[in-house]
Amino acid sequence: MDSLPDDCVSKILSYTSPHDACRFSMVSSTLRSAADSDLLWQSFCPSDYRRILSRALHPHTLDSSSYKHLFCSLCHPLLLDGGNMSFKLEKSSGKKSYILSARQLSITWSSDPLYWCWRTVPESRFKEVAELRMVSWLEIRGEIWTRILTAKTWYAVYLIMKISRREYGLDRVACEVSVAVGEKVQSGKVYLCEKDEKKGKKGRVLKVEEEEVMGVAGKREDGWMEIKVGEFFSGENDEHVTMSLMELGYQLKGGLVVEGIEVRPKHHRS
């Protein structure tokens, strides 16, 4: 392959992945220039990258001196739309992921300070999060269009959350979760609590094992917790995706802190 022109090698590598291209650049110094070329890394950048940059809250923080530098910059969270959405590329594949802030979600009664309060917390990537004070009807909805996602990709949807010290009633009744793409709907049940084996043995969270549920909340690397809402396939057509979490059991509950909903590429386990 050393005998091929750089642009030809770059074209061949564009059919691989960013991870493979980086490994390829270490094979020889002769091939490194092709693996680092703008032609190659422009193909790894999203086709709508200019529109994404136009929506950035702080575009000056991005290094766009080359397409490789731009790609690497986009692999770090980038706030969009006035800081109400976060965007990031997956470094190994170049696939897109988004986090919709709580302000971009439809949360029933969230405008009434009797039921919800909006506050700033230092650990959040967004300006505000929503904290549940007290409701008997919990309903959270989000939406996204597949045109802004990576085509031909399976996506998983997660509610990013925390449980405050003033929590009550959240683990008493399962919540219904669903992801709908057109007429295709995936639904299930989850508990808004962190799985704790010791606590479960005492009986309070034992319901998780007794009923068919998709899961409970797990810890994230960023210090928050997440609970899976569902998954869907992003095809080549532009489709409307709605994501929801509802608990209509009229059980009084409080102490849920909502940061947002993340839509990220799903990784299949072998």
Side-chain angles (χ1 to χ4, degrees):
M1 196 174 279
D2 283 353
S3 61
L4 294 175
D6 282 358
D7 58 347
C8 182
V9 177
S10 296
K11 184 64 176 178
I12 293 172
L13 290 178
S14 69
Y15 293 101
T16 63
S17 69
H19 177 70
D20 292 333
C22 289
R23 294 178 62 187
F24 188 84
S25 68
M26 296 185 288
V27 172
S28 72
S29 57
T30 305
L31 300 177
R32 186 173 301 137
S33 61
D36 290 341
S37 71
D38 263 4
L39 179 64
L40 173 62
W41 286 94
Q42 183 178 11
S43 71
F44 290 146
C45 287
S47 59
D48 60 344
Y49 76 89
R50 288 188 177 87
R51 176 170 172 76
I52 293 170
L53 297 182
S54 71
R55 297 164 56 197
L57 182 62
H58 303 295
H60 59 278
T61 61
L62 298 171
D63 182 356
S64 56
S65 57
S66 70
Y67 279 106
K68 185 175 183 179
H69 287 143
L70 176 61
F71 177 89
C72 292
S73 293
L74 293 176
C75 290
H76 299 281
L78 179 67
L79 289 177
L80 308 179
D81 301 344
N84 287 320
M85 178 183 282
S86 179
F87 166 86
K88 186 175 73 170
L89 290 181
E90 188 176 66
K91 195 171 186 178
S92 61
S93 66
K95 294 181 178 181
K96 296 185 279 187
S97 66
Y98 288 90
I99 300 178
L100 311 178
S101 72
R103 280 293 186 189
Q104 280 204 321
L105 305 178
S106 174
I107 304 176
T108 302
W109 307 114
S110 62
S111 60
D112 191 328
L114 180 64
Y115 303 115
W116 289 85
C117 69
W118 292 90
R119 62 189 185 92
T120 300
V121 294
E123 62 269 25
S124 177
R125 73 208 82 213
F126 300 116
K127 184 178 179 180
E128 292 178 302
V129 298
E131 181 172 355
L132 175 61
R133 286 180 168 169
M134 179 187 67
V135 293
S136 58
W137 180 338
L138 177 63
E139 184 173 4
I140 302 171
R141 294 184 179 273
E143 59 180 26
I144 198 168
W145 288 88
T146 57
R147 66 172 175 267
I148 69 171
L149 302 174
T150 302
K152 300 180 181 179
T153 300
W154 276 98
Y155 275 90
V157 179
Y158 293 87
L159 176 71
I160 304 176
M161 51 171 277
K162 279 189 176 183
I163 304 297
S164 75
R165 294 179 181 178
R166 297 184 294 274
E167 175 271 330
Y168 61 93
L170 293 177
D171 60 353
R172 297 297 183 183
V173 181
C175 292
E176 297 178 1
V177 291
S178 69
V179 175
V181 183
E183 297 181 355
K184 295 173 289 186
V185 181
Q186 181 197 64
S187 60
K189 292 183 178 181
V190 298
Y191 277 87
L192 293 176
C193 60
E194 184 176 4
K195 187 171 184 179
D196 186 325
E197 296 297 338
K198 293 181 180 178
K199 190 177 181 181
K201 290 177 181 178
K202 292 179 181 179
R204 195 174 179 209
V205 193
L206 193 58
K207 298 175 186 177
V208 175
E209 300 173 359
E210 293 174 348
E211 297 181 27
E212 292 186 6
V213 295
M214 291 178 63
V216 292
K219 293 181 179 178
R220 292 168 54 95
E221 292 181 357
D222 58 12
W224 288 80
M225 296 163 61
E226 67 180 19
I227 193 161
K228 190 172 183 180
V229 176
E231 56 190 53
F232 66 94
F233 184 73
S234 175
E236 295 183 319
N237 297 326
D238 185 22
E239 296 183 287
H240 185 233
V241 183
T242 58
M243 308 154 282
S244 69
L245 178 146
M246 291 190 297
E247 196 277 278
L248 306 178
Y250 303 105
Q251 165 74 44
L252 286 177
K253 61 193 73 67
L256 175 68
V257 181
V258 177
E259 190 191 31
I261 287 180
E262 182 174 30
V263 180
R264 67 176 187 248
K266 176 187 174 183
H267 293 281
H268 297 271
R269 294 181 180 179
S270 57

Short mmCIF file of all heavy atoms in Angstrom, two decimals, residues 11 49 55 76 110 124 179 193 208-209 216 231 248:
data_model
loop_
_atom_site.label_atom_id
_atom_site.label_comp_id
_atom_site.label_asym_id
_atom_site.label_seq_id
_atom_site.Cartn_x
_atom_site.Cartn_y
_atom_site.Cartn_z
N LYS A 11 -8.88 7.53 0.73
CA LYS A 11 -10.20 7.09 0.30
C LYS A 11 -10.50 5.69 0.81
O LYS A 11 -11.62 5.40 1.27
CB LYS A 11 -10.28 7.12 -1.24
CG LYS A 11 -11.65 6.77 -1.79
CD LYS A 11 -12.69 7.80 -1.38
CE LYS A 11 -14.03 7.50 -2.03
NZ LYS A 11 -15.08 8.46 -1.60
N TYR A 49 -21.78 19.03 9.95
CA TYR A 49 -20.96 19.62 11.01
C TYR A 49 -21.03 21.15 11.01
O TYR A 49 -20.95 21.78 12.06
CB TYR A 49 -19.51 19.14 10.90
CG TYR A 49 -18.69 19.76 9.80
CD1 TYR A 49 -17.98 20.94 10.01
CD2 TYR A 49 -18.63 19.18 8.54
CE1 TYR A 49 -17.21 21.50 9.00
CE2 TYR A 49 -17.89 19.74 7.52
CZ TYR A 49 -17.18 20.90 7.75
OH TYR A 49 -16.44 21.47 6.75
N ARG A 55 -24.74 26.17 15.78
CA ARG A 55 -25.62 26.09 16.96
C ARG A 55 -24.83 26.07 18.26
O ARG A 55 -25.42 26.08 19.35
CB ARG A 55 -26.48 24.83 16.88
CG ARG A 55 -27.44 24.79 15.69
CD ARG A 55 -27.97 23.39 15.46
NE ARG A 55 -28.62 22.84 16.63
CZ ARG A 55 -28.88 21.54 16.79
NH1 ARG A 55 -28.52 20.66 15.87
NH2 ARG A 55 -29.50 21.13 17.87
N HIS A 76 -15.61 15.81 22.41
CA HIS A 76 -15.87 16.34 23.74
C HIS A 76 -17.24 17.01 23.73
O HIS A 76 -17.66 17.57 22.71
CB HIS A 76 -14.79 17.33 24.15
CG HIS A 76 -13.42 16.74 24.21
ND1 HIS A 76 -12.98 15.99 25.27
CD2 HIS A 76 -12.39 16.77 23.32
CE1 HIS A 76 -11.75 15.58 25.05
NE2 HIS A 76 -11.36 16.05 23.88
N SER A 110 -44.13 21.04 35.59
CA SER A 110 -42.80 21.59 35.89
C SER A 110 -42.80 23.11 36.00
O SER A 110 -41.86 23.68 36.57
CB SER A 110 -41.79 21.15 34.82
OG SER A 110 -42.16 21.67 33.55
N SER A 124 -23.82 19.66 37.05
CA SER A 124 -24.57 19.51 35.80
C SER A 124 -23.88 20.23 34.65
O SER A 124 -23.27 21.28 34.82
CB SER A 124 -25.99 20.06 35.95
OG SER A 124 -26.69 19.97 34.73
N VAL A 179 -40.43 4.18 23.89
CA VAL A 179 -39.78 4.89 22.79
C VAL A 179 -40.58 4.56 21.54
O VAL A 179 -40.77 3.38 21.20
CB VAL A 179 -38.31 4.46 22.61
CG1 VAL A 179 -37.72 5.13 21.38
CG2 VAL A 179 -37.48 4.81 23.84
N CYS A 193 -34.98 4.06 41.18
CA CYS A 193 -34.13 3.89 42.35
C CYS A 193 -32.88 3.14 41.91
O CYS A 193 -32.86 2.51 40.86
CB CYS A 193 -34.85 3.12 43.45
SG CYS A 193 -35.37 1.46 42.95
N VAL A 208 -38.33 -5.21 42.28
CA VAL A 208 -37.54 -5.21 41.06
C VAL A 208 -37.30 -6.64 40.59
O VAL A 208 -37.28 -6.93 39.41
CB VAL A 208 -36.19 -4.49 41.30
CG1 VAL A 208 -35.30 -4.60 40.07
CG2 VAL A 208 -36.44 -3.03 41.63
N GLU A 209 -37.11 -7.57 41.54
CA GLU A 209 -36.84 -8.95 41.18
C GLU A 209 -38.13 -9.73 40.95
O GLU A 209 -38.14 -10.75 40.29
CB GLU A 209 -36.01 -9.61 42.28
CG GLU A 209 -34.66 -8.92 42.50
CD GLU A 209 -33.92 -9.49 43.69
OE1 GLU A 209 -34.48 -10.39 44.35
OE2 GLU A 209 -32.80 -9.03 43.97
N VAL A 216 -33.29 -0.78 36.81
CA VAL A 216 -33.27 0.31 37.77
C VAL A 216 -32.09 1.20 37.40
O VAL A 216 -31.35 0.92 36.46
CB VAL A 216 -33.14 -0.22 39.21
CG1 VAL A 216 -34.40 -0.94 39.63
CG2 VAL A 216 -31.93 -1.14 39.35
N GLU A 231 -34.84 1.74 23.21
CA GLU A 231 -33.91 1.83 22.10
C GLU A 231 -34.68 1.87 20.78
O GLU A 231 -35.86 1.53 20.72
CB GLU A 231 -32.92 0.67 22.12
CG GLU A 231 -33.56 -0.70 22.12
CD GLU A 231 -32.57 -1.82 22.39
OE1 GLU A 231 -31.84 -1.75 23.40
OE2 GLU A 231 -32.53 -2.76 21.58
N LEU A 248 -48.40 6.78 36.82
CA LEU A 248 -49.73 7.33 37.04
C LEU A 248 -50.46 6.62 38.18
O LEU A 248 -51.67 6.55 38.22
CB LEU A 248 -50.56 7.24 35.76
CG LEU A 248 -49.93 7.87 34.51
CD1 LEU A 248 -50.83 7.68 33.30
CD2 LEU A 248 -49.66 9.35 34.73
#
